[in-house]
Amino acid sequence: MIENDIDIANLVTVNFGVGLRSNGNMYFVPTDAGMKGALKDMIASTVGALNAIQGEWQKYDLSEDYGERRRVYCERDDEFMKAFSELFDAGSLDDLTNLTEQVSDIEYYFAEVTDNQKRKMVGARKATQFKGTVKAKNRLVRMVDDTLSIIEDAVFKLDNEFDVLITDAHVYIVNDARMQQLGDITSHVAATAKNKVQHIEDTINFLDLSRIKEKIEDHPRVARYAASIAQNPAIGNFQRAKIEELAVQHDIVFKELDNGKLQCRVQDEARLMELLDARRYHLDLANNGGDPYRATGRHKV
């Protein structure tokens, strides 16, 4: 899949840049040929790591717990990928010539590469290790003629892989936790949560979710469920009888309001959202009534 977006074996241009925390601005940093080669290797290592993962490519799910590395992608025009889309579209940037003076303010670093067909990819990485080495100045040593000597210059350290790779069409996610930090996903999810719940309620018109909508901004996990449910193209086909049946199995209690809609108990609200997000299921292998289960991670087969 990623091979259709860029030819990493034929990269022509390489730019290096950083994003600053204080003003949110991005800058290019001048680099020599050796640095450009290292960045190409880092891009190739990241692509190689993704391609080495077993299984098919999966579309990114906001409510998923990615406890193990998977081949995950998201469309770049997805509303929650705005920060990465802006990074990809940044274009020409000013050069930052006083990098060592800005070390504490660096939020992330990135490499922008293009192949021989002028297709672009941007790799971004949270700068924890990159700038951490600078703080070890005068404690780093090197071997010269069998003698250890202190490195007095400022030294930065590149990581082995990027956290995300961004192309014209996709965002490929290598490290979910750091990707969320870089993209400020939690804030974006909270800001849109009420609208997502409203969309769900408008689509599954036999449910009353008004209480959930009122307080969802203060419940990040439930807000993620709402974002995931709202993106499910099948929610318009959800059946009332099926939901009521599963609710009984998971001790979710409904009452029918005067308008005919179902409203669950306050203590059942998170469980209902998990059920709607297909994270609740029931197994009865021994024909003894079975047990309800909750899935934080899932693999569709």
Side-chain angles (χ1 to χ4, degrees), residues 181-249:
Q181 292 174 349
L182 291 173
D184 197 16
I185 301 300
T186 299
S187 296
H188 291 308
V189 169
T192 61
K194 283 187 177 181
N195 289 337
K196 299 303 181 186
V197 177
Q198 186 63 59
H199 173 71
I200 297 166
E201 191 175 37
D202 291 343
T203 308
I204 311 176
N205 54 23
F206 54 83
L207 289 179
D208 181 282
L209 306 176
S210 56
R211 289 193 309 225
I212 296 175
K213 182 172 58 179
E214 289 172 3
K215 54 193 174 185
I216 194 167
E217 291 180 8
D218 298 323
H219 297 273
R221 173 51 59 182
V222 179
R224 288 176 182 272
Y225 294 145
S228 178
I229 298 163
Q231 289 183 334
N232 185 347
I235 61 173
N237 297 322
F238 283 11
Q239 303 296 307
R240 177 169 178 157
K242 292 290 186 182
I243 289 177
E244 288 183 290
E245 179 183 348
L246 283 167
V248 171
Q249 295 173 339

Side-chain angles (χ1 to χ4, degrees), residues 86-100:
E86 290 177 350
L87 173 57
F88 185 87
D89 289 333
S92 179
L93 299 171
D94 292 335
D95 282 349
L96 185 68
T97 56
N98 60 340
L99 182 63
T100 55

Side-chain angles (χ1 to χ4, degrees), residues 12-301:
V12 177
T13 66
V14 183
N15 287 312
F16 176 77
V18 296
L20 301 185
R21 182 184 299 107
S22 59
N23 58 19
N25 290 342
M26 296 171 283
Y27 301 89
F28 283 138
V29 179
T31 55
D32 63 9
M35 177 68 170
K36 294 181 188 298
L39 292 170
K40 287 182 181 180
D41 290 342
M42 192 172 167
I43 288 280
S45 294
T46 310
V47 173
L50 285 172
N51 285 335
I53 301 170
Q54 298 297 312
E56 300 297 321
W57 284 99
Q58 304 173 28
K59 188 173 180 181
Y60 183 67
D61 187 339
L62 275 166
S63 67
E64 180 72 356
D65 181 3
Y66 290 101
E68 60 184 25
R69 182 171 285 191
R70 305 188 216 169
R71 304 172 81 185
V72 181
Y73 76 95
C74 189
E75 281 83 9
R76 184 166 71 89
D77 61 3
D78 184 278
E79 61 182 304
F80 297 110
M81 297 291 114
K82 182 180 179 181
F84 303 114
S85 188
E86 290 177 350
L87 173 57
F88 185 87
D89 289 333
S92 179
L93 299 171
D94 292 335
D95 282 349
L96 185 68
T97 56
N98 60 340
L99 182 63
T100 55
E101 298 173 19
Q102 303 287 345
V103 169
S104 61
D105 197 25
I106 300 173
E107 179 72 12
Y108 60 91
Y109 66 89
F110 62 92
E112 177 192 274
V113 300
T114 60
D115 66 10
N116 55 4
Q117 300 178 53
K118 297 183 178 181
R119 295 177 298 184
K120 183 168 71 173
M121 172 181 280
V122 177
R125 174 82 186 207
K126 192 160 178 65
T128 305
Q129 178 172 269
F130 177 77
K131 63 184 182 181
T133 313
V134 175
K135 297 177 182 179
K137 184 178 180 180
N138 293 326
R139 296 196 302 277
L140 296 173
V141 299
R142 61 184 171 186
M143 179 73 75
V144 180
D145 297 329
D146 294 328
T147 301
L148 290 175
S149 61
I150 291 290
I151 300 176
E152 297 180 355
D153 297 329
V155 177
F156 297 87
K157 185 178 187 300
L158 293 176
D159 297 89
N160 295 324
E161 299 169 356
F162 288 102
D163 295 324
V164 295
L165 296 174
I166 312 158
T167 66
D168 185 61
H170 303 110
V171 176
Y172 297 95
I173 299 165
V174 183
N175 186 296
D176 178 45
R178 288 196 291 265
M179 180 281 294
Q180 293 194 39
Q181 292 174 349
L182 291 173
D184 197 16
I185 301 300
T186 299
S187 296
H188 291 308
V189 169
T192 61
K194 283 187 177 181
N195 289 337
K196 299 303 181 186
V197 177
Q198 186 63 59
H199 173 71
I200 297 166
E201 191 175 37
D202 291 343
T203 308
I204 311 176
N205 54 23
F206 54 83
L207 289 179
D208 181 282
L209 306 176
S210 56
R211 289 193 309 225
I212 296 175
K213 182 172 58 179
E214 289 172 3
K215 54 193 174 185
I216 194 167
E217 291 180 8
D218 298 323
H219 297 273
R221 173 51 59 182
V222 179
R224 288 176 182 272
Y225 294 145
S228 178
I229 298 163
Q231 289 183 334
N232 185 347
I235 61 173
N237 297 322
F238 283 11
Q239 303 296 307
R240 177 169 178 157
K242 292 290 186 182
I243 289 177
E244 288 183 290
E245 179 183 348
L246 283 167
V248 171
Q249 295 173 339
H250 290 271
D251 195 28
I252 298 171
V253 177
F254 286 119
K255 69 174 179 181
E256 186 170 326
L257 303 179
D258 292 341
N259 60 9
K261 290 190 173 187
L262 299 175
Q263 183 183 68
C264 71
R265 298 178 300 184
V266 172
Q267 62 264 41
D268 295 337
E269 289 171 350
R271 280 186 284 182
L272 174 60
M273 295 300 283
E274 289 172 345
L275 188 151
L276 297 177
D277 195 33
R279 295 192 176 277
R280 289 268 173 174
Y281 63 101
H282 191 274
L283 288 178
D284 187 9
L285 300 178
N287 196 29
N288 59 2
D291 297 291
Y293 292 92
R294 172 179 177 268
T296 58
R298 58 189 175 193
H299 290 266
K300 188 175 180 179
V301 295

